[in-house]
Amino acid sequence: MTPEPLEIRRLSYADLPQVIAIERRAFPTPWSLAMFVLELSKPSGICLAAVREGTIVGYLVCSRYERVWHVMNVAVDDRMRREGIATAMLGRLFAEADGPGAQYTLEVRASNAAAMALYEGFGFRHAGLRRGYYHDNHEDAVIMWRVVEGGDGHEWVPDDQRVARRSGA
Ligand SMILES: CC(C)(COP(=O)(O)OP(=O)(O)OC[C@H]1O[C@@H](n2cnc3c(N)ncnc32)[C@H](O)[C@@H]1OP(=O)(O)O)[C@@H](O)C(=O)NCCC(=O)NCCS
């Protein structure tokens, strides 16, 4: 059976009850409603919803600090994974935010092979660890960067980004 078409649009405050329901099933330490409200209130961020048949099936929260995009949160309804929903959201993010020298970073649990495979598919590369970053189980965070070639060369370049450049991201 052909799946219903997927719409990717901006996330709104009205979506948050559905987002929270997905979030609580997706993460051991879910974000609070207040955290989503704060991110949605930032004018420079990009927050996206994936919608199928009028229902939220995934969301992505990305904030911009100076010249770097921080992918803060990505999750897909646990009944609809592996259907390309996260891929569609990240694709939209990069379609909107990519440009010469664009930089993206994120942290992911070292055990989260699914998410790392997703990000690697978009050119994110490992660039170090934050030891014991997650409070619930003291798990390490893997820091990942994605760098679009072609910047002006004058931007601030952190060490871990240089790793990303060397590995071809
Ligand atoms: C990680 C997550 C967002 C992926 O969403 P998704 O819509 O299922 O991902 P996609 O269908 O777009 O998958 C794209 C690619 O990612 C990789 N991937 C996704 N899930 C995977 C899994 N369970 N195991 C291995 N690779 C996986 C694959 O390379 C996949 O491509 P393929 O299906 O052609 O092999 C989803 O599993 C999720 O919500 N997990 C819980 C929350 C979470 O961990 N978020 C990330 C926090 S950093």
Side-chain angles (χ1 to χ4, degrees):
M1 203 173 73
T2 314
E4 290 300 318
L6 188 70
E7 178 196 0
I8 307 294
R9 60 159 171 77
R10 291 293 175 135
L11 191 66
S12 74
Y13 293 107
D15 298 324
L16 292 183
Q18 291 183 72
V19 164
I20 291 288
I22 295 172
E23 174 81 6
R24 288 187 178 152
R25 292 199 306 272
F27 295 105
T29 54
W31 278 20
S32 65
L33 181 63
M35 292 165 81
F36 282 102
V37 169
L38 177 66
E39 292 303 325
L40 275 179
S41 73
K42 294 177 181 170
S44 61
I46 295 180
C47 299
L48 300 173
V51 184
R52 190 174 271 165
E53 294 183 291
T55 300
I56 303 287
V57 294
Y59 51 89
L60 176 153
V61 175
C62 188
S63 291
R64 187 175 187 174
Y65 296 98
E66 301 293 333
R67 302 180 69 164
V68 180
W69 293 94
H70 291 247
V71 181
M72 310 283 288
N73 198 337
V74 183
V76 169
D77 187 318
D78 53 352
R79 296 160 296 196
M80 296 183 192
R81 292 191 182 151
R82 222 64 197 265
E83 296 180 19
I85 294 172
T87 298
M89 293 190 293
L90 283 164
R92 171 64 66 86
L93 170 68
F94 299 136
E96 289 196 25
D98 266 6
Q103 303 168 34
Y104 303 83
T105 189
L106 55 83
E107 282 115 18
V108 54
R109 284 179 189 260
S111 64
N112 195 346
M116 280 189 272
L118 169 72
Y119 300 135
E120 283 164 0
F122 278 97
F124 279 88
R125 296 292 175 257
H126 294 222
L129 287 181
R130 295 193 206 288
R131 300 249 175 233
Y133 181 77
Y134 295 98
H135 293 293
D136 59 324
N137 63 354
H138 307 292
E139 186 171 357
D140 297 341
V142 175
I143 304 163
M144 302 185 83
W145 281 83
R146 174 180 184 270
V147 180
V148 179
E149 293 301 330
D152 57 19
H154 297 296
E155 70 270 33
W156 172 71
V157 180
D159 286 348
D160 44 9
Q161 182 189 320
R162 279 197 283 270
V163 173
R165 282 189 192 278
R166 270 204 303 274
S167 62

